[in-house]
Amino acid sequence: MTTYDDLPPYLLGFPGPLRDQLVAAVLSGAKTSTTGLLAEYAAEGEPLPEPGARSLLVDSAERGVAVVEVTAVEVLRLGDIGLAHALDEGEGFASVAEWRTAHEDFWHSGPVRAAVGDPGFTVDDDTLVIAERFRVTERLV
């Protein structure tokens, strides 16, 4: 039996309804991109993802559901995110404006502000984000 204990977890959002929605979108093939805050990587001392890196996508119950491989990573200004990336997030956004509103709501939430270590954290066009593309290499469920 293959084990995946050596793979780091691939975490989308926080456990709960949002993570469950995002994981379902990955498993359906609708979600092939995601966006993170450079500030969160810095605050957590995490290295940026690199193309070719494999991780274990986990659901809200911390179960591994798929192996994903990073295919591309870009550090961009938030104001430079394009429509293709927003659509490929697989959350049903029809425009960059819709994508941005949803992401600002998330990034301005208490858990994200705690993760970056700034209770007043806000984003603007110049905020640096990590635009990441990935593919599922193996489904486990």
Side-chain angles (χ1 to χ4, degrees):
M1 180 175 165
T2 304
T3 63
Y4 301 93
D5 296 338
D6 59 328
L7 294 178
Y10 197 81
L11 306 172
L12 296 172
F14 296 105
L18 177 60
R19 179 174 292 170
D20 293 338
Q21 172 192 344
L22 298 175
V23 167
V26 171
L27 293 176
S28 76
K31 182 172 183 66
T32 58
S33 71
T34 194
T35 312
L37 295 168
L38 183 60
E40 192 170 357
Y41 281 91
E44 295 176 356
E46 291 289 323
L48 296 183
E50 294 185 15
R54 292 171 16 121
S55 301
L56 184 64
L57 177 65
V58 298
D59 64 12
S60 288
E62 304 295 322
R63 291 179 309 141
V65 297
V67 176
V68 296
E69 179 182 7
V70 175
T71 59
V73 177
E74 287 184 278
V75 178
L76 300 171
R77 292 174 55 253
L78 180 56
D80 293 336
I81 292 290
L83 182 60
H85 183 81
L87 295 175
D88 289 345
E89 287 223 5
E91 297 175 58
F93 304 118
S95 68
V96 173
E98 282 181 15
W99 172 90
R100 180 146 172 184
T101 296
H103 281 71
E104 285 185 8
D105 289 347
F106 178 72
W107 289 331
H108 294 161
S109 70
V112 173
R113 287 176 168 167
V116 299
D118 179 355
F121 179 80
T122 59
V123 299
D124 61 28
D125 280 350
D126 291 325
T127 299
L128 294 178
V129 296
I130 309 306
E132 182 177 345
R133 293 192 169 278
F134 58 87
R135 66 185 183 99
V136 172
T137 61
E138 187 175 352
R139 285 182 63 127
L140 307 178
V141 294

